[in-house]
Amino acid sequence: DVFGKPNKKFFDTLSLFAKDEEEKAILESIVAGSDEGKALYRDLVQDYAHHADVLKRFPSARPPVEHLINMIPPLKPRSYSIASSPLMHPDMIQLCVVQVDWTVESTKEFRIGEATGYMKVQQPGAQIMCAVRQSAIVLPKDPKDPVLMAGMGTGLAPWRAVTQERVMQKRQG
């Protein structure tokens, strides 16, 4: 996950490869927790700095690729709530996705989240590798029973899926 947030272990290991003594000292200060190092780390975190940003900022620190692969964790899976009912759409899954984007304050660089940026450039009908897990939502057996939904953290997707499910149940009698 080159565009993920680096942890202090990354800075520690990167310092071992810094050829410039000033860069090495700055990297070490982040890990040591000096006031200057804490302030720099706080600024980097506030600026949404990722591994690639740190590598740009410390050009003398160039670990070999085989080390870099071990220094940067793999991209973590992203979880999204399904926004469609299998009764209404038996051969597809629909999602409601909000693009994650922001502007880096220090550079005014516009950035887009990895997963939502990837989805945005896909053409309609594109197939995307995914894994589907069992839903945590359990509807009442009787479709006439009311459902109370609160979507903290999930947004519109589950509400949309349950509504589609109820529409299809009503159509089927």
Side-chain angles (χ1 to χ4, degrees):
D1 188 3
V2 166
F3 300 112
K5 178 184 163 190
N7 59 23
K8 291 195 178 179
K9 176 75 173 151
F10 177 79
F11 290 96
D12 187 30
T13 307
L14 191 62
S15 72
L16 301 173
F17 296 98
K19 292 182 177 28
D20 179 275
E21 289 302 318
E22 186 177 335
E23 288 182 14
K24 184 179 188 76
I26 292 170
L27 288 163
E28 289 173 344
S29 76
I30 291 171
V31 178
S34 69
D35 289 343
E36 178 187 335
K38 285 179 186 176
L40 177 57
Y41 188 70
R42 187 176 48 250
D43 290 347
L44 289 169
V45 168
Q46 183 178 344
D47 226 11
Y48 299 102
H50 48 55
H51 296 94
D53 291 329
V54 174
L55 290 167
K56 284 183 207 170
R57 185 165 183 158
F58 299 100
S60 82
R62 288 295 175 259
V65 173
E66 59 270 14
H67 286 280
L68 201 55
I69 288 171
N70 291 319
M71 292 168 61
I72 299 174
L75 187 63
K76 293 180 180 96
R78 304 312 201 252
S79 295
Y80 298 93
S81 296
I82 294 174
S84 57
S85 161
L87 283 179
M88 188 174 278
H89 303 284
D91 297 325
M92 74 169 63
I93 291 174
Q94 297 174 340
L95 305 173
C96 292
V97 179
V98 175
Q99 177 177 298
V100 176
D101 60 38
W102 67 96
T103 301
V104 176
E105 188 62 35
S106 65
T107 63
K108 304 301 181 214
E109 177 186 2
F110 181 72
R111 293 193 174 165
I112 297 174
E114 289 177 79
T116 56
Y118 172 76
M119 284 190 270
K120 183 178 180 178
V121 300
Q122 300 306 304
Q123 297 299 315
Q127 293 186 7
I128 297 173
M129 186 172 77
C130 68
V132 179
R133 284 188 247 139
Q134 184 70 31
S135 173
I137 297 174
V138 179
L139 295 175
K141 289 184 184 185
D142 185 349
K144 292 178 184 168
D145 286 348
V147 176
L148 177 65
M149 295 184 65
M152 280 78 71
T154 62
L156 180 67
W159 181 86
R160 184 177 182 267
V162 168
T163 301
Q164 286 182 1
E165 187 81 3
R166 290 299 179 120
V167 166
M168 290 306 293
Q169 287 173 339
K170 183 163 178 80
R171 286 181 189 166
Q172 293 172 349

